[in-house]
Amino acid sequence: MPHEINLITTIAAGLGLAMILGYISARLKMPPLIGYLLAGIVIGPATPGFVADIELASQLAELGVMLLMFGVGLHFSLDDLLAVRRIAIPGAIVQIAVATALGMVTAHFWGWNLGAALVFGLALSVASTVVLLRALEARGVLESVNGRIAVGWLIVEDLVMVLALVLLPPLAGLLGGTPDGAPGSGNLWTTLGFTLAKVAAFVALMLVVGRRVFPRVLWLVARTGSRELFTLCVIAAAVGVAYGSAMLFDVSFALGAFFAGMMMRESEFSHRAADESLPLRDAFSVLFFVSVGMLFDPMVLVEEPLKVVAVVAIIMIGKTLAAVALVLAFRYPLNTALTVGASLAQIGEFSFILAGLGVALGLLPLEGQSLILAGALISIALNSLIFAAIEPVQTWARARSSLARKLEQKADPLAELPMSVDQSHLTGQVVLVGYGRVGRRIAEALTARHIPYVVAEQNRELVEKLRARGIPAVSGDASDPAVLIQAHIARAGMLVIATPDTFHVRKMVEIARTLNPTIETVLRTHNEEEAQLLHKENVGKVFLGEHELALGMTRHVLTRMGVTGKDESL
């Protein structure tokens, strides 16, 4: 037996207990992330019994941060962000400012200094990407307009937090903490300018060299046909760039790993890179959350219950209301506002990273870190309930609140079809709900065959572009009767629901059939069980994505193999 097995003990205890508590959390309909954090609390110094090595756990946490941010970079799409930029960029920035201000005012009321209040407010302002993505995937709305807005919003938040991680160390001395670096730290502007220059050099190097080198290296390794070598290349790039960026450019591990993932996305093998690295990213992500839990002192719940309540209120009420108000101000439907608000009603990994950095720089007291962790635990545990409440809240608000109805209907020129639309386009037309990848192709086919159609789309930017091209389009949620009425569903020949959001499909079909009993309906899904259920309910003609893909490929294969005529087995 070796004398030093602290690393093995820490990993074994952390992963084993995280698996047990994560399973229990999942069975209780809560995110497994709660179980991982609780596992860290159990093996941490604040609870009796076995105590894992905190220093080793911290290093494992750094690896977890690298791989987490590498995964964020792999999924970062500039095109997706640009599609919702008019709401995601200003919305995220204003929401961060509001939440940070709420946190700072609260911290000031507690007697904390400026630096502690700033770090505390920033930590409460950013939601967890991991929790958000899993919540949207569980509800099948990740690829919907609501999902894209929420993800775009989170991407902007992540980028702002990356900037905060870069700027906090040189600003620590001014904010009342321990200055980062020794000599010359008294000259704030020199230090700050030097730091920004190094970050700019790193970003330029990654954008100019990285986006050319990484895809090429990945392609060369993929040609070897070795799966383990490909996986090793992906992980080595993530960890190597993160380490090199920290050593050479003094930027955070998180920023380095993020850019490594973003540059890797430029490769045609990016999806394979994401799939191959996923198990290792998941394992080290678990260790990251376990190590965070080890830092949490449960006594804060007993000693400072009112402060914990204040933190949870900022996260789940203050942030949510700010986000809902901002989305409604941009004239998006109530459903979109509630979805984005629910998505942001929690905090996660970036909050932990900021809290850890704040403590290390002498800015944030340990009590603040415990309060942030308590807020994260409670908000993540309750987030699924917030999502479940969207539909009842929306129904109640529309039925009983005249203000809610006015917010959705007030002076929005995109919510009504222009009077200039030719009436020939509004009789026997196709009402196309959703103008994403599938809807766009359907629209192109209809245009090529001179078949009239009206688009109902939640993305206001897309509606503006469609109208500029002379295509009749109305902005809004098609589960709202007013939207389908504006699309003249009563005189339509067919309703085609091309959006991947199957959550409101039944309501759309019900409204359409109420206004037009003879209308034919067509819809899509990627879930086989959902497809069977919709078919039994006679909702309309259901197309299952995987089935149609297999059907098209089979027909091509049979045609190329010389089989002619219609095969009934297809």
Side-chain angles (χ1 to χ4, degrees):
M1 283 288 292
H3 295 291
E4 294 293 337
I5 57 171
N6 288 351
L7 177 62
I8 298 174
T9 303
T10 301
I11 293 177
L15 291 180
L17 195 58
M19 186 274 293
I20 295 171
L21 295 179
Y23 174 77
I24 294 174
S25 298
R27 295 290 295 177
L28 294 174
K29 306 299 182 182
M30 294 189 299
L33 180 58
I34 295 294
Y36 308 154
L37 292 168
L38 291 175
I41 295 173
V42 171
I43 64 175
T47 53
F50 171 76
V51 178
D53 190 318
I54 296 182
E55 291 187 4
L56 284 176
S58 297
Q59 292 190 42
L60 292 172
E62 290 285 7
L63 277 173
V65 171
M66 293 181 201
L67 295 174
L68 267 175
M69 292 309 301
F70 177 70
V72 173
L74 274 174
H75 292 93
F76 179 84
S77 171
L78 191 59
D79 291 337
D80 288 345
L81 177 60
L82 291 177
V84 294
R85 65 189 183 279
R86 293 188 184 179
I87 181 173
I89 295 177
I93 293 174
V94 173
Q95 179 260 310
I96 288 174
V98 171
T100 302
L102 289 173
M104 292 182 70
V105 169
T106 305
H108 178 73
F109 179 76
W110 294 338
W112 294 6
N113 63 24
L114 176 63
L118 178 62
V119 174
F120 183 71
L122 285 172
L124 299 186
S125 70
V126 59
S128 167
T129 306
V130 175
V131 175
L132 169 74
L133 293 177
R134 291 178 181 175
L136 294 176
E137 285 175 347
R139 286 155 184 81
V141 296
L142 182 59
E143 295 184 9
S144 67
V145 173
N146 293 350
R148 288 198 296 270
I149 291 175
V151 172
W153 197 299
L154 259 291
I155 288 173
V156 177
E157 283 194 350
D158 288 351
L159 291 175
V160 173
M161 290 305 120
V162 166
L163 182 61
L165 290 174
V166 170
L167 295 179
L168 271 179
L171 291 173
L174 180 67
L175 295 173
T178 304
D180 185 58
S185 59
N187 190 333
L188 171 66
W189 296 112
T190 300
T191 304
L192 185 59
F194 191 52
T195 300
L196 291 177
K198 287 190 291 185
V199 172
F202 167 71
V203 172
L205 179 66
M206 294 300 293
L207 292 178
V208 175
V209 179
R211 68 189 310 172
R212 291 184 173 88
V213 173
F214 283 0
R216 177 67 177 173
V217 170
L218 210 58
W219 180 76
L220 291 173
V221 174
R223 287 184 60 189
T224 65
S226 172
R227 180 175 179 177
E228 63 271 18
L229 193 59
F230 183 86
T231 304
L232 178 62
C233 175
V234 172
I235 300 302
V239 177
V241 171
Y243 179 80
S245 63
M247 295 299 104
L248 299 177
F249 297 94
D250 290 334
V251 301
S252 65
F253 288 130
L255 182 63
F258 172 77
F259 269 93
M262 196 165 65
M263 296 306 100
M264 198 78 77
R265 184 182 171 83
E266 299 293 322
S267 169
E268 59 184 301
F269 298 101
S270 61
H271 292 291
R272 181 182 170 188
D275 291 340
E276 297 287 351
S277 63
L278 184 60
L280 197 59
R281 282 192 284 131
D282 283 346
F284 276 97
S285 296
V286 169
L287 289 173
F288 167 69
F289 290 114
V290 170
S291 68
V292 168
M294 292 175 65
L295 300 174
F296 176 62
D297 183 3
M299 289 304 296
V300 73
L301 300 174
V302 178
E303 296 172 353
E304 301 289 354
L306 294 180
K307 289 185 178 180
V308 173
V309 170
V311 170
V312 174
I314 292 172
I315 297 170
M316 302 193 69
I317 300 177
K319 283 175 59 181
T320 302
L321 291 179
V324 169
L326 286 166
V327 176
L328 289 176
F330 279 91
R331 294 177 175 173
Y332 274 82
L334 181 61
N335 179 260
T336 301
L338 292 175
T339 300
V340 174
S343 301
L344 302 176
Q346 39 81 16
I347 59 173
E349 53 273 8
F350 258 120
S351 304
F352 307 149
I353 298 170
L354 276 168
L357 180 62
V359 171
L361 294 174
L363 291 171
L364 187 70
L366 289 175
E367 178 193 11
Q369 187 177 43
S370 294
L371 288 171
I372 290 168
L373 292 171
L377 280 167
I378 296 171
S379 64
I380 291 172
L382 298 179
N383 192 244
S384 57
L385 299 179
I386 298 294
F387 267 100
I390 290 178
E391 188 69 20
V393 169
Q394 181 178 334
T395 302
W396 179 89
R398 284 177 172 169
R400 302 187 182 183
S401 172
S402 58
L403 176 61
R405 293 191 294 271
K406 288 179 181 178
L407 286 173
E408 292 195 308
Q409 299 171 0
K410 63 175 183 180
D412 185 1
L414 298 182
E416 299 180 359
L417 279 182
M419 297 296 292
S420 58
V421 176
D422 195 319
Q423 290 300 308
S424 63
H425 281 77
L426 303 177
T427 302
Q429 82 281 11
V430 174
V431 174
L432 178 60
V433 178
Y435 197 79
R437 288 175 295 181
V438 175
R440 186 178 298 112
R441 286 171 171 78
I442 295 173
E444 290 171 354
L446 294 174
T447 300
R449 291 161 179 78
H450 305 289
I451 298 174
Y453 64 93
V454 177
V455 176
E457 169 62 54
Q458 287 182 266
N459 190 326
R460 292 175 53 80
E461 286 76 15
L462 277 179
V463 173
E464 290 177 346
K465 291 179 181 178
L466 290 172
R467 290 193 178 187
R469 291 162 48 193
I471 298 175
V474 58
S475 172
D477 183 357
S479 63
D480 180 1
V483 174
L484 290 181
I485 290 172
Q486 280 297 317
H488 288 68
I489 194 72
R491 292 188 290 173
M494 182 179 291
L495 171 67
V496 179
I497 304 175
T499 172
D501 180 9
T502 58
F503 197 73
H504 297 98
V505 161
R506 292 171 180 81
K507 191 170 183 180
M508 295 178 195
V509 173
E510 180 185 346
I511 294 168
R513 288 178 175 173
T514 299
L515 298 172
N516 187 345
T518 61
I519 194 169
E520 183 178 351
T521 57
V522 179
L523 54 143
R524 56 173 282 202
T525 181
H526 286 283
N527 187 301
E528 190 167 354
E529 293 180 1
E530 180 75 13
Q532 293 175 356
L533 186 60
L534 291 170
H535 181 72
K536 288 180 181 179
E537 295 176 359
N538 194 29
V539 174
K541 176 65 175 177
V542 181
F543 287 88
L544 179 64
E546 288 73 12
H547 174 74
E548 297 304 319
L549 176 62
L551 192 64
M553 293 179 69
T554 302
R555 284 174 174 162
H556 176 76
V557 170
L558 294 178
T559 301
R560 297 298 294 169
M561 295 303 293
V563 178
T564 58
K566 183 178 180 181
D567 191 336
E568 296 297 329
S569 65
L570 297 180

